[in-house]
Amino acid sequence: MATEYKPPALPSPFSNTKPPPILLTQGAEAHLYKTVSINPAIPAALKIRPSKPYRHPILDRKLTRQRIIQEARCMIKLVREGVKVPAVLAMDWEGQGGDEGGWGGAWLMMEWIEGPVVRVVLEKWEAWFKANRGTMDEAQITAAEAPVRALLRRIGAAIAALHKAGVVHGDLTTSNLMLRTSEWDQEDRAIEGEVVIIDFGLASQSVQDEDRAVDLYVLERAMGSTHPLSEPFFEELLVGYREGNKGAISTIRRLEDVRLRGRKRSMLG
Ligand SMILES: Nc1ncnc2c1ncn2[C@@H]1O[C@H](COP(=O)(O)OP(=O)(O)OP(=O)(O)O)[C@@H](O)[C@H]1O
Ligand SMILES: [Mg+2]
């Protein structure tokens, strides 16, 4: 049996907030908590990057700090440009709050986005579709696919807004896209809500077609492996990306090259 995972102690002041932060996810690099902001009535997401004990402490501090500052910088810029991303509420990059010369890690507190990640929405839809399409006629299938097509268009438009603001994400997956909605329940196939992009841990400032095309390609591949029934509608995402985006044509042309390189690489094994 697996031993129960025990996250490292929270840095001050979160080590004694009431109610205590709730651990939601624990990735390789970061721990995500739900907590409250300075106004306890307002929920917040807390992303903690613990220090890595196997790295030299000076190097570790420098890398952790660079990473969180880069992440916050991109988010602040995007909020200012009107792109839908969580607002930054507070952060610490100095690794204060620990004992004996500091805690070494860094944290970022941001606006809480109410709603599911797109991965969960598509998983539920695909499971339902798989179970029911056998009993549906062509018109019913078209109607069932419509909300997914519409969602992919909205995602394309959100990525276009991100790119137009001069930021590339670096890790676009359906876990890093959320739907802001308090309405969603698993049985509901309406798929409402505003697309919010999260997780700027690998983002950077770039206006290069190559970087933008790689962003789209990474998401296309991620969809192919996680959402095989939705991936055929990826073209809808590109339709949404193109709408009102003058730069889209050259980026999508570049995407063809990136796909070709990807295929060659996978043929070489
Ligand atoms: N602002 C937010 N509001 C609500 N939920 C969030 C928010 N930010 C993150 N989450 C949830 O926490 C999960 C993990 O967050 P995030 O993707 O930022 O971390 P990560 O993938 O572990 O980070 P990294 O890839 O930088 O190591 C998300 O998939 C989402 O479910
Ligand atoms: Mg993530």
Side-chain angles (χ1 to χ4, degrees), residues 169-190:
H169 186 278
D171 187 23
L172 278 180
T173 63
T174 54
S175 301
N176 289 336
L177 297 165
M178 294 187 73
L179 280 180
R180 194 200 300 264
T181 169
S182 50
E183 309 276 285
W184 190 75
D185 74 87
Q186 308 194 352
E187 304 313 316
D188 185 12
R189 261 160 284 286

Side-chain angles (χ1 to χ4, degrees), residues 86-102:
V88 174
L89 302 176
M91 66 184 295
D92 171 38
W93 58 83
E94 293 292 359
Q96 289 159 352
D99 28 76
E100 289 166 37

Side-chain angles (χ1 to χ4, degrees), residues 73-94:
R73 184 176 284 144
C74 287
M75 292 170 81
I76 290 166
K77 173 173 172 157
L78 291 168
V79 168
R80 209 165 43 209
E81 302 270 340
V83 183
K84 302 301 175 209
V85 308
V88 174
L89 302 176
M91 66 184 295
D92 171 38
W93 58 83
E94 293 292 359

Side-chain angles (χ1 to χ4, degrees), residues 92-147:
D92 171 38
W93 58 83
E94 293 292 359
Q96 289 159 352
D99 28 76
E100 289 166 37
W103 158 73
W107 57 260
L108 178 67
M109 190 200 258
M110 65 191 130
E111 178 190 1
W112 177 256
I113 307 299
E114 190 61 52
V117 294
V118 168
R119 179 180 53 74
V120 172
V121 174
L122 289 181
E123 275 169 5
K124 298 284 179 213
W125 180 83
E126 291 200 352
W128 169 81
F129 187 63
K130 221 176 188 164
N132 291 283
R133 71 178 155 188
T135 66
M136 296 194 276
D137 63 27
E138 214 161 297
Q140 286 169 319
I141 288 178
T142 305
E145 289 172 349

Side-chain angles (χ1 to χ4, degrees), residues 156-174:
I159 299 170
L162 172 80
H163 286 175
K164 276 201 274 187
V167 174
V168 290
H169 186 278
D171 187 23
L172 278 180
T173 63
T174 54

Side-chain angles (χ1 to χ4, degrees), residues 220-268:
E220 184 177 27
R221 292 302 297 263
M223 283 197 55
S225 55
T226 8
H227 311 292
L229 299 183
S230 312
E231 200 251 3
F233 312 133
F234 190 78
E235 281 305 313
E236 297 284 348
L237 191 146
L238 296 182
V239 170
Y241 186 78
R242 263 193 300 261
E243 264 164 28
N245 178 10
K246 278 195 241 105
I249 296 174
S250 60
T251 302
I252 290 173
R253 203 173 296 139
R254 192 56 168 255
L255 175 62
E256 310 285 341
D257 296 344
V258 177
R259 281 170 172 161
L260 216 58
R261 292 203 309 258
R263 272 201 289 278
K264 279 194 195 132
R265 196 168 309 133
S266 65
M267 272 183 334
L268 291 173

